[in-house]
Amino acid sequence: MTDTAARAPVMQDVARLAGVSHQTVSRVINGATSIRPETRERVLQAIERLGYRPNTAARALVSGRSATIGIIATASTLFGPTSVHRTVNVAAREAGFFASSVSLSEMTREGFDAAVDHLDRLAVEGIVVIAGHDEALEVARSRSAHTPFVIVEGDLTRARRTVGVDNVAGARLATRHLLDLGHTEIAHITGPLDWAEARARSEGWRAEMVSAGLRPMEPVAGDWSAGSGYRAGLHLAADEAVTAVFAANDQMAIGALRALHEAGRRVPEDVSVVGFDDVPEAEYVIPPLTTVRQDFEQIGREAIAMLTQVISGDTDQEPSLIDPELIVRASTAPPLSTRPPRNP
């Protein structure tokens, strides 16, 4: 067993593995901007490989900054929040920050305050809050602290320092695609309406239907899960007037695909289906799913860029909306009534 394996690694161990001086390691840790990117990456890889943990409090006292940010999120397995959490971590590292995360089983005021207190003890320079539902957003907004906050995946109308995808525009893209194909009875499976994203996607679907001079049918409630999409799909399959379904996320769309298949409604021949998120499985289901793609990498980069600006003293921030992209696959087609007859 080597000395390094038998004890906690120190800065000199990182310097030796990275092939740099311990002064260079210190400058990387303290966020110096004059370090070449390849040198910074080599040092960060050595830190990760050794499991080196710098003394954050001491570093903050010496340098006046910790080069560390905090991330507070709910313990969610949903594709959107987990993707945002990952990309915020990556973007923080690329910007020269370490990230310390706190995952809460539920976003209560007491739990959020305890998470902020914990991160404050680590001398974080700022905190990214991944807050998708109303309670999380309210708790995050109500916390008054000297630490800068940026909220991701929240309601862009209710917090100034917020980054998120334009959910209304994404829903309108999905609905417009179905309208352009000739569909007029377009059902919507909502996410839970205490989530800002679910309300925004429902709003976008409704607005696009109204702008086309159509009366939206009553939406069907879901809870983001494939199971709720399956139950909604069974309900919608019984209505032969419905020729298209827009689900507020891909999991619910995939559940609806199975329900429609079991009910004998062919996709896309009888019913077209569109989802939202572009999960990795979306292009491999049968048929491949048309969906709205969110650029999670850009969300992470913009969240860290906004937080960095606030940390540097630029507090004049506006909410940042990121454009989604419609990905057309085989789950959508014109309704049978509008298709030209096949050649004999």
Side-chain angles (χ1 to χ4, degrees):
M1 180 179 292
T2 65
D3 289 343
T4 303
R7 57 170 171 78
V10 297
M11 189 179 294
Q12 285 78 4
D13 299 320
V14 176
R16 189 179 304 113
L17 181 59
V20 299
S21 68
H22 74 274
Q23 291 93 340
T24 298
V25 176
S26 177
R27 290 167 63 203
V28 170
I29 291 172
N30 287 308
T33 59
S34 57
I35 304 293
R36 290 187 301 174
E38 58 269 26
T39 302
R40 181 188 302 280
E41 183 61 25
R42 200 161 67 247
V43 171
L44 291 174
Q45 288 179 356
I47 288 171
E48 183 174 348
R49 180 176 171 184
L50 293 173
Y52 173 63
R53 295 294 179 266
N55 186 324
T56 305
R59 185 172 74 234
L61 285 173
V62 172
S63 67
R65 61 184 301 256
S66 66
T68 302
I69 66 160
I71 302 173
I72 300 177
T74 51
S76 171
T77 58
L78 293 172
F79 178 74
T82 56
S83 297
V84 171
H85 200 158
R86 172 182 56 81
T87 60
V88 168
N89 265 293
V90 171
R93 176 171 170 172
E94 290 176 347
F97 289 98
F98 292 96
S100 180
S101 296
V102 179
S103 293
L104 303 175
S105 58
E106 57 179 341
M107 188 71 79
T108 63
R109 191 173 307 278
E110 293 78 11
F112 187 83
D113 285 346
V116 174
D117 289 341
H118 169 75
L119 294 172
D120 279 344
R121 286 194 293 272
L122 297 178
V124 298
E125 297 187 51
I127 296 174
V128 175
V129 181
I130 302 172
H133 54 87
D134 287 349
E135 185 178 9
L137 184 59
E138 286 300 324
V139 172
R141 289 175 65 247
S142 66
R143 169 76 188 211
S144 61
H146 65 278
T147 307
F149 282 82
V150 168
I151 296 175
V152 180
E153 290 290 273
D155 185 336
L156 302 192
T157 67
R158 295 163 61 188
R160 187 159 54 94
R161 296 171 189 159
T162 311
V163 175
V165 72
D166 191 336
N167 288 284
V168 173
R172 296 193 75 144
L173 277 175
T175 309
R176 172 47 56 188
H177 169 64
L178 294 169
L179 290 167
D180 288 344
L181 288 172
H183 296 278
T184 56
E185 290 294 329
I186 303 171
H188 178 48
I189 305 173
T190 74
L193 295 179
D194 59 347
W195 286 66
E197 290 92 340
R199 291 195 303 275
R201 292 170 195 177
S202 183
E203 176 189 336
W205 160 77
R206 187 178 302 277
E208 197 63 28
M209 293 291 287
V210 170
S211 71
L214 299 170
R215 181 176 180 179
M217 62 187 299
E218 188 67 25
V220 182
D223 62 10
W224 297 133
S225 71
S228 71
Y230 174 79
R231 292 186 292 273
L234 289 178
H235 172 75
L236 294 170
D239 186 349
E240 293 188 359
V242 172
T243 64
V245 176
F246 165 48
N249 77 341
D250 286 347
Q251 281 88 349
M252 294 191 297
I254 290 170
L257 285 178
R258 176 177 170 179
L260 291 165
H261 172 75
E262 291 182 359
R265 303 290 302 278
R266 298 168 301 168
V267 177
E269 291 85 355
D270 301 319
V271 183
S272 288
V273 177
V274 181
F276 202 112
D277 280 341
D278 195 25
V279 300
E281 300 81 8
E283 63 180 312
Y284 298 105
V285 297
I286 301 175
L289 183 65
T290 295
T291 186
V292 177
R293 176 180 292 164
Q294 301 191 67
D295 190 338
F296 293 109
E297 284 72 23
Q298 187 178 355
I299 292 172
R301 289 192 299 269
E302 292 210 11
I304 294 302
M306 181 178 289
L307 189 62
T308 301
Q309 287 179 294
V310 179
I311 290 170
S312 66
D314 180 5
T315 58
D316 186 19
Q317 302 295 324
E318 294 295 329
S320 176
L321 279 174
I322 296 169
D323 291 331
E325 178 186 5
L326 179 70
I327 306 298
V328 179
R329 299 192 178 104
S331 67
T332 52
L336 283 173
S337 61
T338 65
R339 297 181 200 174
R342 293 184 179 179
N343 293 326

